[in-house]
């Protein structure tokens, strides 16, 4: 359980001062808890017997002196028996009896010395009447309770800072890891799983840390404090009371294993819920146009039902913990009461042949012992209740580590080669690639693109057009073959530095929440407003900007929903133009534009693409007019490579693709 939590614990150590504060507060609360319970002793020992504290101390000293006298006489008698004894076993037993009584004499002397030390303080400051003693005990009880409450609040603030701060740090770390995750793994996980890990799992980890630095420190300290006092009163009786503790520990361990498995299934169920929500709500128009609301409701209901069953399983384990631990606690207290009653009613009491005491235990001490036992049982019960929180947090932490600590397939080498500004050529050398094993998408593709050339790639859906540019941007690495830019294998370079020379505009032009100006400026860190406006002009954004409520400062909404598809595409194109890339990739970048706007955009692009290598993926003849060269792909291979004019005249594959347009 703790082993699974280690990554979160290690990260939380940066809050060491808060951890120290939480531990100190927990220690103070534990001491105050014991101090509150000790008020039982003066109430039972003195107040109920109409004594003052000073009177009670005098009687205790007198009793101790009488005990010393009696034990000394018993030792002398036993020594006489020892001198007469001839049996070796009898001699050993008699010596043991002498040692026990000698130890009791030592304890009695310590008691006398202790009371002699505190007597001056008691005489000067202790109440002089039983009623005054009761009032003092109650005042101390209230003061201890108030102080305990104050330190509980302070400790809770420390714990909150640790748990929430660590969860915040982990979110940042694992969000960064999600951004660095290679595209293959990102595709396999999906958005819903990542959202689950960064929200639900982090919540479980935060709750686990709050318990770890809160109750899991405070409650054991309470238990230790109470049991220490109980052991001081009668350690044999305490051992009898704790005989069932190993059974309880075994039960909790078994329940923890079940909770761990149930937590893993719950996390998967939560991911399914997120998956359904994201898919349905992001495609709400499609759902409505085909009247499939009932279908989506049924799908969500099935996922919710599965999560409900998993949650009920977790609650089942939660429900098992309390009655089992309470039953074990009652059995332990029953044993303690029976043994304590025996000790209170007899001197030289023995259990299972072992002498437990030589003096009857006073009712006040017995009451204090049971009060300490009760004081320890409540935090023990709380400890078993928090096991499930720690198990769930540990499982969530373990899941995060397993998923995000896997080294990405696409990484920078230990000593990456510096890649100069692209100025020569791009080469695909016998490239083979497959997203899934045994399903090749690219089959021995070889292609050279000279710097400054505009290449159009056409072909049916699924032929490998987009895969080529995905590999060029190192979202994936080829299974076989190489991709070189100016003679340098891109696998020997840092992907981030490689992509600084690229810009990409897709058919699904994704925009971010913010203004038009901010979305265009996303293409170049630190861009001036003049640069942004110039890029917007080239992409024909300024043709519609006056139609927006606040011009370039208009909030475009989530995903650019306040703009039309064509407007979004022009903003995305302006963003790419602003980046001033050496390699420009246009993947159906003007597919949402009307004919007139597309013609204006093309006119702007003609001058822009002259100073860079441009790769255009398109299904439109009008866009191919920008290209110097066109290749046709079919089933992962290049089947035609020519100028646009030659393709129109002599390429059968090209003619087949654009037969309807022609």
């Amino acid at each position: 359980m703790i082993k699974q939590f280690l990554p979160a614990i290690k990260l939380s150590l940066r809050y060491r001062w808060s951890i120290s504060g939480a531990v100190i507060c927990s220690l103070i609360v534990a001491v105050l808890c014991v101090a509150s319970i000790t008020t039982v002793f003066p109430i039972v020992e003195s107040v109920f017997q109409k004594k003052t504290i000073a009177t009670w101390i005098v009687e205790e000293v007198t009793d101790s002196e009488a005990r010393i006298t009696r034990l000394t006489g018993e030792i002398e008698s036993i020594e006489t028996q020892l001198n007469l004894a001839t049996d070796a076993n009898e001699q050993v037993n008699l010596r043991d009896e002498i040692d026990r009584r000698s130890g009791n004499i030592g304890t009695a002397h310590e008691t006398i010395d202790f009371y002699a030390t505190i007597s001056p303080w008691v005489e000067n400051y202790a109440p002089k009447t039983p009623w005054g003693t009761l009032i003092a005990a109650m005042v101390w009880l209230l003061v201890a309770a108030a102080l305990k409450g104050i330190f509980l609040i302070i400790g809770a603030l420390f714990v909150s800072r640790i748990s929430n701060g660590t969860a915040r740090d982990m979110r940042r770390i694992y969000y960064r890891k999600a951004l660095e995750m290679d595209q293959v793994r990102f595709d396999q996980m999906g958005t819903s799983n990542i959202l689950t890990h960064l929200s639900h799992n982090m919540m479980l980890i935060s709750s686990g840390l709050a318990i770890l630095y809160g109750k899991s420190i405070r409650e054991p300290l309470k238990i230790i404090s109470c049991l220490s006092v109980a052991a001081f009163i009668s350690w044999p009786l305490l051992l009898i009371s704790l005989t069932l503790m190993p059974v309880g520990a075994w039960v909790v361990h078994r329940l923890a294993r079940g909770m761990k498995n149930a937590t893993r299934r719950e996390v998967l169920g939560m991911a399914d819920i997120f998956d359904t929500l994201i898919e349905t709500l992001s495609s709400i128009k499609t759902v409505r146009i085909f009247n499939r609301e009932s279908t989506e409701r049924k799908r969500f209901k099935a996922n919710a039902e599965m999560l409900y069953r998993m949650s009920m399983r977790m609650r089942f384990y939660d429900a098992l913990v309390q009655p089992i631990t309470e039953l074990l606690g009652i059995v332990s207290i029953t044993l303690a009461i029976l043994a304590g009653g025996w000790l209170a009613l007899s001197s030289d009491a023995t259990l299972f042949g072992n002498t437990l005491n030589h003096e009857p235990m006073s009712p006040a001490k017995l009451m204090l012992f049971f009060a300490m036992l009760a004081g320890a049982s409540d935090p023990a019960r709380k400890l078993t209740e928090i096991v499930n929180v720690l198990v769930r947090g540990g499982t969530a932490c373990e899941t995060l580590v397993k998923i995000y600590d896997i080294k990405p397939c696409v990484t920078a080498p230990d000593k990456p080669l510096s890649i100069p500004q692209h100025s020569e050529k791009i080469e695909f050398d016998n490239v083979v690639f497959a997203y899934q094993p045994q399903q090749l998408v690219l089959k021995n593709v070889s292609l050279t693109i000279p710097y400054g050339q505009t290449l159009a790639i056409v072909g049916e859906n699924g032929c490998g057009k987009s895969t080529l540019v995905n590999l060029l941007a190192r979202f994936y690495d080829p299974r076989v073959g190489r991709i070189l830019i100016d003679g340098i294998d891109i696998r020997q370079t840092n992907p981030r530095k490689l992509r600084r020379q690229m810009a990409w505009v897709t058919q699904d032009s994704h925009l971010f929440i913010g203004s038009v100006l901010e979305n265009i400026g996303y293409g170049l860190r630190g861009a001036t407003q003049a640069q942004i406006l110039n890029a917007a002009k080239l992409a024909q954004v300024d043709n519609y900007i006056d139609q927006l409520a606040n011009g370039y400062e208009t909030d475009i909404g989530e995903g650019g929903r306040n703009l039309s598809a064509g407007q979004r595409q022009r903003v995305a194109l302006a963003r790419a133009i602003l980046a001033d890339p050496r390699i420009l990739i246009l993947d159906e970048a003007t597919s949402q534009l009307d004919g007139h706007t597309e013609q204006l955009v093309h006119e702007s692009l003609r001058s822009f693409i002259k100073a860079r290598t441009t790769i255009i993926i398109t299904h439109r003849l009008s866009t191919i007019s920008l290209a110097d060269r066109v290749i046709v792909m079919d089933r992962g291979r290049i089947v035609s490579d020519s100028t646009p004019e030659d393709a129109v005249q002599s390429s059968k594959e090209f003619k087949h693709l654009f037969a309807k347009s022609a």
Side-chain angles (χ1 to χ4, degrees):
M1 184 165 57
I2 297 298
K3 183 179 178 181
Q4 298 167 342
F5 230 164
L6 278 179
I9 294 172
K10 288 178 181 177
L11 191 62
S12 70
L13 294 179
R14 64 180 61 183
Y15 300 98
R16 57 180 63 88
W17 292 112
S18 294
I19 293 172
S20 300
V23 172
I24 292 170
C25 287
S26 295
L27 183 59
I28 294 173
V29 167
V31 171
L32 290 171
C33 181
V34 171
S36 301
I37 298 173
T38 55
T39 55
V40 170
F41 188 78
I43 292 172
V44 175
E45 189 68 26
S46 61
V47 175
F48 288 173
Q49 298 184 37
K50 297 182 180 180
K51 301 176 186 176
T52 64
I53 297 296
T55 304
W56 173 75
I57 287 176
V58 171
E59 290 181 357
E60 284 293 305
V61 171
T62 302
D63 289 344
S64 296
E65 290 173 344
R67 190 178 305 118
I68 291 170
T69 302
R70 180 175 57 80
L71 290 170
T72 301
E74 290 177 359
I75 289 173
E76 291 175 354
S77 175
I78 294 171
E79 286 176 342
T80 301
Q81 297 177 36
L82 179 61
N83 292 331
L84 298 174
T86 56
D87 183 71
N89 290 333
E90 184 181 359
Q91 290 176 350
V92 171
N93 292 333
L94 290 172
R95 287 193 182 94
D96 289 343
E97 290 295 327
I98 292 172
D99 291 340
R100 287 197 197 96
R101 283 162 176 76
S102 298
N104 289 335
I105 289 173
T107 302
H109 279 298
E110 290 174 0
T111 302
I112 292 170
D113 293 341
F114 172 73
Y115 287 139
T117 303
I118 67 171
S119 287
W121 295 88
V122 171
E123 290 174 2
N124 292 329
Y125 302 108
K128 306 301 182 182
T129 63
W131 176 249
T133 302
L134 179 61
I135 291 174
M138 293 301 99
V139 169
W140 167 242
L141 187 63
L142 291 174
V143 170
L147 289 173
K148 185 170 70 173
I150 291 171
F151 282 102
L152 277 172
I153 293 170
I154 296 172
L157 293 176
F158 279 128
V159 169
S160 180
R161 184 171 186 272
I162 298 164
S163 60
N164 292 328
T166 304
R168 175 199 61 196
D169 296 340
M170 290 188 74
R171 279 194 183 96
R172 291 166 60 185
I173 290 170
Y174 286 105
Y175 181 69
R176 186 181 72 242
K177 286 178 178 288
L179 293 179
E180 294 171 353
M181 188 182 297
D182 61 76
Q183 197 65 37
V184 174
R185 191 158 183 80
F186 196 95
D187 295 341
Q188 290 172 346
M189 283 187 65
T191 306
S192 57
N193 269 307
I194 293 173
L195 283 176
T196 301
H197 296 315
L198 294 178
S199 56
H200 182 66
N201 282 25
M202 289 300 178
M203 180 186 68
L204 295 179
I205 291 171
S206 179
S207 300
L209 286 170
I211 289 294
L212 183 68
Y213 289 112
K215 286 185 178 181
S216 63
I217 292 177
R218 185 172 62 249
E219 304 307 325
L221 286 174
K222 286 183 183 179
I223 294 172
I224 292 170
S225 301
C226 290
L227 294 185
S228 297
V229 176
F232 178 77
I233 296 169
S234 176
W235 64 265
L237 184 55
L238 179 62
L239 290 179
I240 294 171
S241 305
L242 299 179
T243 51
L244 293 179
M245 188 171 66
V247 177
W250 179 82
V251 170
V252 170
H253 173 70
R254 296 293 298 178
L255 289 175
R257 290 179 60 182
M259 288 177 190
K260 181 178 178 180
N261 294 330
T263 299
R264 285 174 176 165
R265 289 191 288 268
E266 184 186 37
V267 169
L268 292 175
M270 185 63 68
D272 289 339
I273 289 284
F274 272 119
D275 193 25
T276 303
L277 284 172
I278 293 169
E279 189 174 39
T280 302
L281 298 180
S282 62
S283 308
I284 190 65
K285 291 180 180 179
T286 304
V287 172
R288 288 172 174 169
I289 199 66
F290 291 106
N291 294 315
R292 298 305 294 267
E293 290 90 345
S294 60
T295 302
E296 296 306 320
R297 283 198 302 270
K298 289 177 182 177
R299 187 156 69 106
F300 185 81
K301 181 181 178 182
N303 290 334
E305 184 67 25
M306 184 178 298
L307 182 61
Y308 167 78
R309 289 196 297 270
M310 295 171 185
S311 299
M312 286 300 296
R313 189 175 182 85
M314 287 296 305
R315 300 292 83 76
F316 170 72
Y317 286 116
D318 288 346
L320 278 179
V321 170
Q322 185 170 348
I324 290 175
T325 52
E326 284 185 358
L327 178 61
L328 292 172
I330 290 172
V331 174
S332 297
I333 291 174
T334 302
L335 290 173
I337 290 174
L338 291 173
W342 181 254
L343 291 174
L345 295 172
S346 62
S347 59
D348 288 330
T350 60
L351 283 176
F352 307 113
N354 297 312
T355 301
L356 299 181
N357 70 322
H358 295 280
E359 300 288 338
M361 186 179 288
S362 69
K365 287 185 178 179
L366 194 59
M367 285 292 293
L368 181 58
F369 179 88
F370 290 143
M372 289 299 167
L373 209 60
S377 65
D378 182 62
R381 178 184 58 79
K382 290 179 180 177
L383 275 181
T384 57
E385 289 178 355
I386 65 178
V387 166
N388 71 311
V389 180
L390 289 176
V391 169
R392 297 178 75 188
T395 304
C397 189
E398 183 183 38
T399 303
L400 280 174
V401 171
K402 283 183 178 178
I403 290 174
Y404 290 99
D405 277 6
I406 295 175
K407 188 176 180 181
C409 297
V410 177
T411 57
D414 294 335
K415 295 182 179 180
L417 297 178
S418 60
I419 183 166
Q421 278 201 333
H422 168 51
S423 60
E424 296 178 13
K425 59 183 176 180
I426 298 171
E427 297 176 85
F428 290 81
D429 181 17
N430 201 34
V431 171
V432 176
F433 181 77
Y435 294 102
Q436 300 293 334
Q438 310 303 322
Q439 296 180 14
L440 294 182
V441 178
L442 296 178
K443 304 171 184 177
N444 303 103
V445 173
S446 292
L447 173 67
T448 299
I449 310 170
Y451 171 70
Q453 186 178 80
T454 299
L455 172 71
I457 306 176
V458 299
E460 295 180 349
N461 292 330
C463 68
K465 304 184 300 295
S466 296
T467 301
L468 274 179
V469 290
N470 276 321
L471 293 175
L472 179 61
R474 270 206 88 192
F475 294 145
Y476 311 92
D477 280 336
R479 299 289 179 91
V480 178
R482 301 179 302 163
I483 300 174
L484 302 97
I485 295 180
D486 297 351
I488 298 174
D489 189 336
I490 62 173
R491 281 179 295 195
Q492 301 303 315
T493 67
N494 187 316
R496 290 173 57 83
K497 293 184 178 180
L498 169 69
R499 293 167 192 154
R500 286 176 189 168
Q501 299 200 44
M502 299 181 182
W504 190 324
V505 184
T506 65
Q507 182 176 8
D508 302 322
S509 305
H510 184 83
L511 303 180
F512 299 92
I513 294 173
S515 67
V516 174
L517 196 73
E518 289 169 338
N519 269 275
I520 297 175
Y522 196 86
L524 180 64
R525 192 188 302 272
T528 64
Q529 186 165 349
Q531 289 175 305
I532 295 172
L533 294 178
N534 183 58
K537 183 177 180 180
L538 287 174
Q540 302 298 318
V541 174
D542 59 345
N543 282 0
Y544 68 81
I545 201 68
D546 57 348
Q547 301 171 19
L548 304 180
N550 297 311
Y552 282 101
E553 297 298 333
T554 301
D555 187 356
I556 65 174
E558 181 184 354
R561 64 187 177 193
N562 296 336
L563 302 179
S564 69
Q567 289 171 338
R568 288 196 298 271
Q569 205 160 47
R570 277 181 273 177
V571 170
L573 186 59
R575 181 170 62 193
I577 291 172
L578 178 65
D580 192 23
R582 305 294 285 184
I583 301 170
L584 178 62
I585 301 169
L586 304 176
D587 189 350
E588 299 289 358
T590 59
S591 60
Q592 305 291 341
L593 304 182
D594 60 81
H596 175 66
T597 303
E598 184 183 34
Q599 186 177 0
L600 294 175
V601 169
H602 285 174
E603 289 302 320
S604 299
L605 284 175
R606 286 187 195 280
S607 59
F608 181 75
I609 63 178
K610 285 180 180 178
R612 63 205 80 244
T613 300
T614 305
I615 300 174
I616 302 173
I617 298 173
T618 184
H619 290 94
R620 302 175 71 165
L621 275 172
S622 56
T623 306
I624 294 174
S625 64
L626 291 170
D628 305 316
R629 175 185 174 194
V630 59
I631 63 171
V632 182
M633 296 192 66
D634 182 41
R635 299 179 184 179
R637 300 181 187 276
I638 298 174
V639 294
S640 175
D641 185 351
S642 62
T643 63
E645 294 78 11
D646 290 342
V648 171
Q649 296 295 326
S650 58
S651 173
K652 295 180 181 179
E653 294 82 6
F654 186 90
K655 289 180 180 179
H656 174 73
L657 282 171
F658 294 97
K660 292 182 179 179
S661 299

